Amino acid sequence: MNTAVSLQASRASAASSVDAYPAFEKNNGFRLLVKRDDVIGGSHARKVAWLFPDAIARGARRLLTFGGVGSNYLVTLGRACVDYRLQLEAIVLDQPPTEWVQQNLLRMHRVGVNLHHAASFPRAGWTFLRLRSAFARTDGVPPYCLR
């Protein structure tokens, strides 16, 4: 395993803290510990760290996945793709345009996620097949597909 990959995997497995809440213990009679995965991008960061070594071993240049247009999962993948020098291609389905969705769209834009809109779930499937084929031709290797 290359050093960059092992560093990423160890960061995702150990980067978040565990916080104790003494006031809770005082009021309820037992200790409450909370694993703070929110500081590393949520539990998604821990989950996706183990996918990247396989994608790299297969020679992938891109990851292809889908999700909601304001998905935290896509933001996390986009950030990780920057670290691993992979391009994230995300097929997105509509969500209500909340402030959080707008913020996540901006986050994805900042890390270079390419968004491909699909009007419905069946359309997302067709878009997935079309993009997978196109990227395999362009890159000489299929994209690493998630979900």
Side-chain angles (χ1 to χ4, degrees), residues 29-139:
F30 61 93
R31 192 169 180 202
L32 174 66
L33 300 174
V34 176
K35 181 77 169 151
R36 295 295 310 272
D37 281 348
D38 58 313
V39 300
I40 62 165
S43 62
H44 295 300
R46 189 175 311 284
K47 294 172 193 170
V48 303
W50 304 103
L51 301 172
F52 287 92
D54 189 44
I56 291 166
R58 293 173 186 253
R61 296 180 183 166
R62 303 171 196 263
L63 267 63
L64 177 60
T65 191
F66 63 93
V69 72
S71 168
N72 292 329
Y73 167 73
L74 295 179
V75 171
T76 301
L77 276 177
R79 288 177 178 159
C81 280
V82 170
D83 292 342
Y84 287 102
R85 295 180 181 91
L86 294 169
Q87 177 61 51
L88 179 59
E89 305 289 342
I91 301 164
V92 294
L93 298 163
D94 289 331
Q95 281 183 258
T98 65
E99 184 177 332
W100 185 257
V101 166
Q102 297 299 318
Q103 289 173 358
N104 274 354
L105 280 168
L106 183 58
R107 290 177 183 112
M108 286 184 261
H109 174 74
R110 286 181 181 150
V111 295
V113 176
N114 289 331
L115 301 177
H116 307 271
H117 182 260
S120 66
F121 195 76
R123 286 280 208 193
W126 285 110
T127 303
F128 177 88
L129 293 172
R130 182 180 53 80
L131 290 174
R132 185 181 187 284
S133 176
F135 294 138
R137 279 193 312 274
T138 302
D139 298 343

Side-chain angles (χ1 to χ4, degrees), residues 6-25:
S6 62
L7 285 174
Q8 287 295 337
S10 66
R11 180 172 62 163
S13 65
S16 60
S17 63
V18 176
D19 294 345
Y21 291 87
F24 183 89
E25 183 175 2

